[in-house]
Amino acid sequence: MAASCVGFVLIGALQALYGPSIPALRDTYGLSPSAAGLGLSAHFVGGVAGVLVFDRLFGRIGNRRLLGWSYLLMAGGAAGFALAPAWPLALAMALLAGLGFGGIDYGLNQLFAVGFGRRGAAMLNILNAHFGIGAVLGPALIGLVGAAHYPAVFLGFAALTLPLVLCLAGVRDEAPARGGDAGAGGSAGAGEDAGDDTGARGRVRARGLATVLGAFVVLYVLHVAIESGVGGWEPTHLETIGYGATAAASATSAFWLMMTVGRFLVAPLALRWSAPAIIVVSCAGMTGCLLLAGTPAAAPYAYAGAGLFIAPIFPTGLPWLLRTAPRAHRAGALVMAASMVGGVAAPPALGMAIELAGIRAVPLILCAISTVCLLTTGWLIRATRSGAAAEHDNPRRSVVRRHQDG
């Protein structure tokens, strides 16, 4: 588990290293700002591919081998990016590093979700909190040594990744059971027991797998859009309403810090409260904070609060998804890949909306997106509950189905 958390620190740092390196990349390769930004885009394209490839091979090749290859790909891609003599080769290396990144991200999230049973949501929050630690440390390291020394940072990153290949002995080599109760990771209380016992297939049958899965995709894509929207536009919004550049940058750092802190804080709560309850509170709190961010005096604190509330959604939603959808490994791959695509597509889409409405409308635009997240979560809660009630109304069929599934 410790090695997995270190792995998430490293993938968080890798994703965050590209942005601060852009000035040096432009000087080294003679790039325009948009061309230099393609490094992160190539990384995300590789990440989506890594999720889909890992999912395709999950259960066919030993998990230790898959994770080992993913670590090697990420290390090799990072080293190649640092040493590439030409920009096209550097982009290819960023894509290769992203391929390993996606395999590690999906593989460890999946293994934690199904391997820790009812503690899955708590353990996933702890795991993903370490991603946030890396995302904070990566830019700080570039700032410390200077962007011009980015090759040394990427090479050091690769060197730190390699020992993790030797720390996979504790990983189950066979694929854990998936679907049904295997992915349960929410409440340990009575309120969720009834939902767990009724079986995933009946819940999905009540509304249709495609509709429920589509709702999870919407939730994941939009909450990632809010995350990237706040991270990208908070400094500009705060400066527009009268804050200095230093204060705006500090407030943005506080947003990312609160996302990390929030996941550590929710971990013990996830042992007592159900995943749907945590996510609906998170979406409601996120919506309220973004609405409050429209008030200039409260804006920096409201954005920090939004980070605190948004933190549990990604790691807590995965066990809920695995419980709710049959063939849950396919569902998990789809929503994780969709969230990565959303992270790439959301900034330009938000930029167009802000261009039309003005910088001062940033919190209101994000609040509207958050409201959709809240409504989607409410719909998912009703959908899964109605499915559970249908199972309860026909206990004999439910027992026979659970027997067949078992």
Side-chain angles (χ1 to χ4, degrees):
M1 177 177 167
S4 298
C5 290
V6 171
F8 257 60
V9 170
L10 291 177
I11 67 172
L14 175 62
Q15 179 176 311
L17 287 176
Y18 292 97
S21 302
I22 284 178
L25 292 173
R26 293 184 62 193
D27 292 339
T28 301
Y29 298 105
L31 304 173
S32 66
S34 59
L38 290 177
L40 183 58
S41 297
H43 170 85
F44 272 113
V45 170
V48 173
V51 169
L52 298 178
V53 168
F54 198 112
D55 175 69
R56 194 71 177 175
L57 297 177
F58 193 86
R60 301 181 185 182
I61 299 176
N63 296 324
R64 285 195 291 270
R65 188 182 303 175
L66 278 173
L67 284 172
W69 286 350
S70 296
Y71 281 126
L72 289 174
L73 285 171
M74 189 169 71
F81 184 82
L83 301 174
W87 183 236
L89 182 58
L91 288 179
M93 292 297 100
L95 190 146
L96 187 67
L99 189 66
F101 168 97
I104 296 164
D105 189 20
Y106 173 69
L108 290 178
N109 270 307
Q110 183 75 18
L111 290 172
F112 269 55
V114 300
F116 282 97
R118 304 185 68 83
R119 294 183 296 154
M123 300 307 296
L124 280 170
N125 272 283
I126 292 174
L127 180 69
N128 282 272
H130 286 83
F131 183 98
I133 293 174
V136 172
L137 292 179
L141 184 58
I142 290 286
L144 181 64
V145 303
H149 298 289
Y150 81 89
V153 176
F154 275 87
L155 287 172
F157 171 90
L160 290 173
T161 301
L162 289 175
L164 296 179
V165 178
L166 306 176
C167 300
L168 298 174
V171 175
R172 290 181 58 179
D173 209 29
E174 72 279 5
R178 287 182 280 199
D181 294 337
S187 168
E192 180 147 306
D193 289 344
D196 288 344
D197 293 341
T198 54
R201 298 181 190 276
R203 282 178 290 197
V204 174
R205 187 177 294 110
R207 294 281 183 168
L209 172 61
T211 306
V212 171
L213 182 55
F216 273 105
V217 168
V218 168
L219 176 63
Y220 268 65
V221 169
L222 292 186
H223 102 270
V224 169
I226 295 169
E227 177 183 325
S228 62
V230 174
W233 288 99
E234 180 185 355
T236 304
H237 174 247
L238 291 178
E239 289 184 43
T240 300
I241 61 177
Y243 289 89
T246 301
S250 299
T252 305
S253 298
F255 166 77
W256 293 112
L257 179 62
M258 293 304 285
M259 280 193 61
T260 301
V261 170
R263 286 171 177 166
F264 280 117
L265 292 177
V266 166
L269 298 179
L271 298 173
R272 298 177 56 84
W273 297 92
S274 70
I278 290 173
I279 293 178
V280 76
V281 170
S282 295
C283 289
M286 179 173 63
T287 303
C289 285
L290 290 171
L291 182 62
L292 185 61
T295 304
Y301 310 100
Y303 280 126
L308 187 67
F309 280 110
I310 201 174
I313 296 176
F314 185 97
T316 308
L318 187 59
W320 185 17
L321 170 66
L322 297 183
R323 269 200 321 277
T324 301
R327 301 180 63 84
H329 59 298
R330 291 283 178 259
L334 177 60
V335 298
M336 290 188 68
S339 69
M340 289 184 181
V341 173
V344 177
L350 284 171
M352 288 188 291
I354 291 167
E355 184 177 343
L356 293 173
I359 297 297
R360 291 179 179 271
V362 165
L364 297 180
I365 293 172
L366 295 175
C367 181
I369 298 172
S370 184
T371 300
V372 177
C373 289
L374 179 59
L375 294 174
T376 302
T377 302
W379 185 91
L380 280 168
I381 291 173
R382 290 193 299 272
T384 54
R385 280 180 179 171
S386 64
E391 289 280 336
H392 187 266
D393 290 341
N394 196 338
R396 180 178 179 181
R397 182 181 301 174
S398 176
V399 170
V400 171
R401 185 178 297 118
R402 284 199 298 273
H403 175 72
Q404 292 171 342
D405 293 343

